[in-house]
Amino acid sequence: MKLTLVAASGRTGGHVLDQALGAGHEVTAVVRNPDAVTAPVRIVRADLTAPDPVALKSAVDGRDAVVSALGPRHNGEYGVASRGTRAIIEAMVAAGVRRLVVVSVAGISTIPTPSRPNPPKRDPGVGFFTRTVLSPLANLRLRKHYEDVALMEHELRVSGLDWTSVQLPLLTDKPPTGHYRMAYEQSVRGGFRIARADAAQFVLRVLGMPETVRHSVAVAY
Ligand SMILES: NC(=O)c1ccc[n+]([C@@H]2O[C@H](COP(=O)([O-])OP(=O)(O)OC[C@H]3O[C@@H](n4cnc5c(N)ncnc54)[C@H](OP(=O)(O)O)[C@@H]3O)[C@@H](O)[C@H]2O)c1
């Protein structure tokens, strides 16, 4: 496939890039710092806090699909997921490219957004301990990021594109196992983590799974 990979310089994006090239895909990498990618691919420079529509359209023109592993490097960058994804969507609409797979966060489907003002109060994949102890602790630190990612999923839902959001639990840098579970529109029950390498493998698999189009799909061990 001809793929455009946004955030190819990230820890998950780097695995997606390596595995995509290994699988024989032709990749255009969208990064804000071209020096961060050493693989022999076409690179388009784009800072997604101030997206350049012309550069982004040139990055997605003529591609079969776009994959995004975009996210904030630190809490000063919260907001980049929704703003950057909106810009990617606009570029894809302008270029007539339809398939978009983005990395998202497990558990954010209970956060209200303009297209889902009354989301389910509980994620059926989240057990009692996670709901009452782990999630409130994570919320203390990451609530703003979660709200931004929920807004990113809102942008997907109103985009009209053939999107899939891959909702991830805690990411590790352990070696891939090739074994994981998935769940539609809810977290994977008891699935607390996944290696970035396995998450990347799943992201690429999803490109060939039309049944995931216009769905949030969680993946975890
Ligand atoms: N970490 C976890 O445990 C966890 C758990 C669940 C879900 N997730 C989701 O997975 C996402 C990816 O995780 P990760 O660990 O792979 O993240 P990461 O290593 O921090 O990668 C973030 C990527 O986004 C890029 N980026 C950030 N701001 C940008 C901007 N303004 N313009 C262009 N590119 C920009 C970064 O580019 P640079 O290389 O230039 O900085 C980098 O390529 C997270 O953001 C989060 O939403 C993470």
Side-chain angles (χ1 to χ4, degrees):
M1 283 178 108
K2 292 181 181 170
L3 295 181
T4 293
L5 172 59
V6 178
S9 56
R11 287 166 290 179
T12 306
H15 284 290
V16 177
L17 177 60
D18 292 345
Q19 293 180 27
L21 292 176
H25 298 301
E26 183 200 307
V27 179
T28 291
V30 176
V31 286
R32 58 181 162 180
N33 172 16
D35 294 341
V37 173
T38 52
V41 294
R42 174 180 170 233
I43 294 177
V44 173
R45 181 187 207 133
D47 184 338
L48 292 167
T49 51
D52 171 356
V54 176
L56 281 181
K57 181 167 178 289
S58 83
V60 302
D61 243 337
R63 316 303 289 170
D64 298 313
V66 177
V67 171
S68 172
L70 177 67
R73 279 283 182 185
H74 53 79
N75 55 15
E77 293 186 329
Y78 290 158
V80 74
S82 58
R83 195 177 314 136
T85 303
R86 193 180 315 131
I88 294 163
I89 289 168
E90 284 167 3
M92 290 177 66
V93 170
V97 178
R98 296 202 51 78
R99 186 74 174 111
L100 173 61
V101 177
V102 306
V103 164
S104 178
V105 180
I108 53 109
S109 304
T110 55
I111 298 175
T113 62
S115 52
R116 292 177 93 206
N118 299 302
K121 286 213 167 9
R122 283 187 186 173
D123 178 337
V126 170
F128 179 77
F129 182 67
T130 300
R131 191 171 66 247
T132 55
V133 179
L134 298 181
S135 295
L137 283 176
N139 266 330
L140 284 178
R141 206 164 61 82
L142 292 166
R143 180 74 192 182
K144 279 206 167 112
H145 178 49
Y146 294 162
E147 286 174 351
D148 181 40
V149 173
L151 199 52
M152 175 188 79
E153 292 212 357
H154 157 77
E155 299 291 350
L156 297 174
R157 276 192 295 275
V158 298
S159 68
L161 297 180
D162 296 337
W163 58 272
T164 304
S165 86
V166 174
Q167 296 188 336
L168 302 175
L170 183 68
L171 297 174
T172 75
D173 289 315
K174 293 198 169 150
T177 65
H179 299 289
Y180 38 75
R181 296 175 292 147
M182 60 180 282
Y184 282 84
E185 310 297 344
Q186 63 171 71
S187 298
V188 174
R189 193 145 188 112
F192 298 112
R193 50 179 56 83
I194 192 165
R196 287 180 171 88
D198 276 328
Q201 189 191 100
F202 184 69
V203 162
L204 289 170
R205 249 183 76 193
V206 157
L207 286 169
M209 296 169 68
E211 63 273 28
T212 65
V213 167
R214 284 183 282 283
H215 284 291
S216 300
V217 185
V219 62
Y221 295 138

